[in-house]
Amino acid sequence: MDWILKDLALSVPYVRHVIVLSSDGLRMAQYGTEPDTADRLAAACAGLQSLAAAVGQEFPHGDGSMRLVVIEVDGGYFYLMAAGSRAYLAVLADEGVDAGLVGQQMRDLVARIGEHLSTPPRNPEQVA
């Protein structure tokens, strides 16, 4: 999956990190970052998707599931997008990035490989 993440990173100037994670915050794949950084970001993403889902429950229509979270901070942007059943795509980009292009490329990537990004539910009985 790394080459697909690389394509996204290289097709949008200013993208720094691309991470695929499970809903429980485990890194599944990454591009442009060290494993420790990717693990920290994946764990933070799990919290963000949970918060977004809680806010989504306040809307009367739809199921309240999180589709996209965008955070702007000094120095750049963070994007978190649902990417399949219990899987998410995260992108960290520097200031100057084309926000619309990032969103479009993320949607295109999810549409192409979303079914491969899904993670099965964890069964506590299978844990050794």
Side-chain angles (χ1 to χ4, degrees), residues 19 25 27 33-46:
I19 303 164
R27 171 182 45 91
T33 186
E34 296 295 321
D36 287 345
T37 301
D39 287 341
R40 277 194 315 277
L41 289 170
C45 289

Side-chain angles (χ1 to χ4, degrees), residues 60-128:
H61 305 291
D63 65 3
S65 60
M66 190 280 297
R67 287 191 247 166
L68 176 66
V69 173
V70 179
I71 299 174
E72 179 180 3
V73 297
D74 285 342
Y77 299 88
F78 172 78
Y79 302 84
L80 178 63
M81 180 178 285
S85 178
R86 294 174 301 282
Y88 297 89
L89 175 63
V91 172
L92 205 68
D94 291 329
E95 277 185 305
V97 73
D98 181 333
L101 183 57
V102 171
Q104 176 186 349
Q105 294 294 79
M106 289 177 74
R107 280 189 302 274
D108 289 350
L109 175 62
V110 168
R112 282 189 313 185
I113 63 168
E115 65 188 45
H116 302 291
L117 294 179
S118 298
T119 61
R122 300 197 191 285
N123 185 348
E125 296 170 0
Q126 292 177 338
V127 177

Side-chain angles (χ1 to χ4, degrees), residues 40-63:
R40 277 194 315 277
L41 289 170
C45 289
L48 285 173
Q49 65 86 15
S50 179
L51 287 171
V55 170
Q57 295 298 317
E58 298 303 318
F59 291 91
H61 305 291
D63 65 3

